[in-house]
Amino acid sequence: MNKRARKHTSILSYWTLRYLLIISIGLLLTALFTFWWIQQEAMNNRMQTTGLLAQEIADRSVGTDGKLAINPSLDKLVEDRKRFFKVTTEMCVIITGPAGELLYSSPPMTGEEMRYKLNDTLTDSRTPEYKAAAAQIRGDQATLGQVLVMQSKRSLRHIPQEEITFFSIIIVFLIILSWLTIYLLSIKLAKPVQRVAAAAAQISSGQYNIVLETGAKEREIHELLVSFQEMAAKLQQFEQSRAIMLAGVSHELKTPVTSIKGLLHAVREGVVEGEEAGEFLDIALLETGRLQHMVADLLDYNALTAGMVAVRNDKLEAAPLLEEILYQWKLTQSEDVCEPILHLPESPLLLRGDPLRIQQIIVNLLNNSVQAKAPDRRLQLKLTLTATPQGMAEIIVSDNGPGIHPDNRERIFDAFFRSSGKQSVLRGLGLGLTFSRLLAEAMGGTLELGSTPQQGCSFVLRLPLVV
């Protein structure tokens, strides 16, 4: 089933809307809780003040003779307190005598109305909408009566409109400030991501020449832009190398094919006969062998890079292995090639590796020295076996040839690289050293170019010793 394409939104819209919604909800919940808490604190504080008012009225209701007496200025006191609490009819003041009889009320009410408003003990409001604060009127020796000041819970929790307006303005201001902060941050983060996305689109269309502004102050964004630009540069370099590699491989494979075709065509058409035809066939066989060698190198390289070549991890005696490799290699060389000089340590060394792969590496290094030998002097080859303090067996293969140009020392292990001087004499794909290094690494070792001697060059093969 074809799934419906999901609609994508920009980072600016996604973050601004969602984070603004989250912050707004959080601020509103905080505001509601704060508003509720303020109301509760206001009610508690006002009940304490109401209790003080009840005690004040009780104190003023005792005459100089110690008897209960209603102060004539009590109405004015009650009205002043009502204005102070900003309430009208929602405050009720009741004074009762020793037997619970009604002596004073504001607003005026009857005894029945009083008992309807108060509970049976005359100490609190009968309805839950009101709260009452009581104070005893005490004379010299006895309780003379009681003062009750009742207020509605609504008036106790009342918050002035000015405070609500001010609090609302603060909440709205915080929401706007949060939105503005998120919006600016989203723009700040969206711009480099948009640039990287645009650059990725260019790369997907085959344009690798990407230039990004990498001057961002944020470390993570700066690292992202720099890394992406470096990746684009490496992709461009890889694409150029791939094009050069394909052109070189095509040319190197085409040359022997063309030569073989021409030689066989000459023999088939009778252009050459007798011994000369035999020579043409010999040359064609030689070109076929070279072609087979290049194809084998290419297949081996691809197999090793894909991890499809099995490498053994045997315990090997280094000295007998090197002697056997040099003996077999010398049998395949012409008489003008001197036998390599082998320097071995006094004590035997046991290393770990694949004897066939070690032979491939050393034979490749020796063949490279023979192919690159200087025409004006006799080639001298030398192999030196030593042990390093790091627990590695070190095999140095050196010669007295023309050496490697300093400009090429950093690239000789690159796949399909061949120096210009070597290309003019030999035909190959330039995979020998690359393949040899991969084999050495597969056995847990390394293959590096050694220090530059006065004449020739040296390669250092390191393989782990048996612990």
Side-chain angles (χ1 to χ4, degrees):
M1 295 177 62
N2 294 329
K3 292 187 176 180
R4 185 179 175 183
R6 185 177 179 181
K7 185 178 179 181
H8 297 279
T9 58
S10 65
I11 291 178
L12 184 60
S13 300
Y14 186 89
W15 285 4
T16 301
L17 293 178
R18 282 159 178 77
Y19 287 143
L20 177 61
L21 181 62
I22 293 173
I23 290 178
S24 299
I25 293 175
L27 287 175
L28 289 176
L29 291 176
T30 303
L32 291 175
F33 175 78
T34 304
F35 190 76
W36 173 84
W37 179 79
I38 291 175
Q39 284 186 326
Q40 295 299 117
E41 287 296 314
M43 185 171 66
N44 293 334
N45 293 333
R46 285 170 179 169
M47 281 303 300
Q48 291 179 3
T49 305
T50 302
L52 294 176
L53 174 61
Q55 187 62 50
E56 180 184 2
I57 295 174
D59 293 341
R60 292 192 178 192
S61 299
V62 178
T64 55
D65 56 355
K67 296 182 179 181
L68 177 62
I70 304 299
N71 194 320
S73 63
L74 186 58
D75 288 336
K76 184 177 182 302
L77 176 65
V78 172
E79 291 301 322
D80 290 341
R81 295 301 182 262
K82 283 184 178 181
R83 284 194 297 270
F84 176 79
F85 288 114
K86 297 181 180 181
V87 295
T88 55
T89 59
E90 294 184 358
M91 176 185 283
C92 179
V93 178
I94 298 174
I95 301 177
T96 60
E101 67 276 14
L102 178 61
L103 300 178
Y104 172 85
S105 67
S106 176
M109 66 180 70
T110 64
E112 293 181 358
E113 291 176 339
M114 178 194 71
R115 295 186 181 278
Y116 177 78
K117 289 180 178 292
L118 301 178
N119 58 12
D120 295 338
T121 59
L122 303 179
T123 57
D124 201 352
S125 172
R126 188 179 295 274
T127 60
E129 290 81 9
Y130 283 81
K131 290 180 71 69
Q136 300 294 323
I137 303 175
R138 298 184 181 277
D140 294 336
Q141 298 178 355
T143 300
L144 304 177
Q146 180 179 245
V147 177
L148 284 96
V149 179
M150 292 196 307
Q151 290 193 79
S152 67
K153 290 183 178 179
R154 186 175 67 87
S155 63
L156 290 172
R157 289 195 294 259
H158 173 72
I159 298 176
Q161 185 63 37
E162 296 81 4
E163 296 182 12
I164 296 176
T165 303
F166 178 73
F167 192 74
S168 301
I169 292 174
I170 291 179
I171 294 298
V172 173
F173 174 75
L174 289 176
I175 292 176
I176 295 175
L177 181 62
S178 301
W179 171 82
L180 182 61
T181 303
I182 294 170
Y183 181 78
L184 295 177
L185 287 175
S186 299
I187 291 178
K188 184 70 174 177
L189 292 175
K191 284 184 177 179
V193 174
Q194 290 171 351
R195 292 200 296 267
V196 171
Q202 293 181 20
I203 291 176
S204 65
S205 62
Q207 301 178 18
Y208 299 98
N209 190 17
I210 303 298
V211 178
L212 295 173
E213 269 188 44
T214 58
K217 295 180 180 180
E218 297 82 355
R219 182 184 61 186
E220 293 80 3
I221 296 178
H222 173 74
E223 291 176 353
L224 170 66
L225 296 174
V226 171
S227 299
F228 192 89
Q229 186 159 323
E230 291 177 352
M231 180 194 71
K234 290 181 180 180
L235 285 175
Q236 184 178 19
Q237 182 181 4
F238 175 77
E239 183 65 18
Q240 294 174 352
S241 301
R242 186 180 67 86
I244 296 173
M245 180 254 314
L246 290 176
V249 170
S250 301
H251 174 73
E252 295 297 339
L253 294 178
K254 183 179 178 181
T255 301
V257 172
T258 303
S259 177
I260 293 170
K261 181 179 179 181
L263 292 171
L264 295 179
H265 185 72
V267 175
R268 183 174 181 274
E269 295 296 327
V271 177
V272 292
E273 297 179 350
E275 292 184 1
E276 191 174 7
E279 292 178 0
F280 272 45
L281 291 176
D282 290 339
I283 296 174
L285 288 173
L286 181 61
E287 291 294 320
T288 303
R290 291 177 177 175
L291 179 62
Q292 182 181 9
H293 179 70
M294 286 189 286
V295 172
D297 283 348
L298 186 60
L299 293 176
D300 289 341
Y301 172 75
N302 289 335
L304 188 57
T305 53
M308 299 173 61
V309 175
V311 177
R312 294 164 54 184
N313 191 26
D314 299 340
K315 292 183 180 180
L316 305 171
E317 291 189 15
L321 176 63
L322 294 180
E323 291 174 348
E324 181 64 23
I325 291 173
L326 293 181
Y327 174 75
Q328 293 182 13
W329 178 80
K330 187 60 178 69
L331 294 178
T332 62
Q333 303 301 311
S334 58
E335 295 181 357
D336 61 336
V337 176
C338 294
E339 184 172 352
I341 301 173
L342 180 61
H343 294 282
L344 300 175
E346 296 181 358
S347 58
L349 295 179
L350 290 177
L351 57 85
R352 289 192 177 276
D354 190 327
L356 178 61
R357 303 306 180 186
I358 296 174
Q359 182 177 5
Q360 283 181 274
I361 296 172
I362 294 178
V363 168
N364 180 60
L365 295 177
L366 294 174
N367 288 339
N368 285 348
S369 297
V370 173
Q371 293 170 0
K373 67 179 180 178
D376 56 344
R377 60 176 178 267
R378 192 176 178 85
L379 178 67
Q380 294 180 354
L381 296 170
K382 182 170 65 174
L383 267 76
T384 304
L385 173 64
T386 57
T388 66
Q390 293 77 23
M392 304 290 285
E394 191 173 80
I395 304 171
I396 303 176
V397 180
S398 58
D399 61 36
N400 63 340
I404 299 174
H405 194 274
D407 296 338
N408 297 330
R409 291 181 63 86
E410 299 294 330
R411 300 185 57 195
I412 59 171
F413 288 103
D414 293 346
F416 306 102
F417 172 75
R418 300 175 69 246
S419 63
S420 57
K422 192 173 179 180
Q423 288 174 355
S424 62
V425 180
L426 303 170
R427 289 201 299 270
L429 297 180
L431 290 173
L433 289 176
T434 307
F435 184 65
S436 297
R437 169 173 274 188
L438 291 175
L439 286 176
E441 292 174 352
M443 291 184 289
T446 59
L447 178 61
E448 300 174 355
L449 183 63
S451 57
T452 305
Q454 294 181 353
Q455 289 184 344
C457 68
S458 64
F459 288 90
V460 181
L461 172 64
R462 296 185 183 90
L463 295 171
L465 292 170
V466 175
V467 179

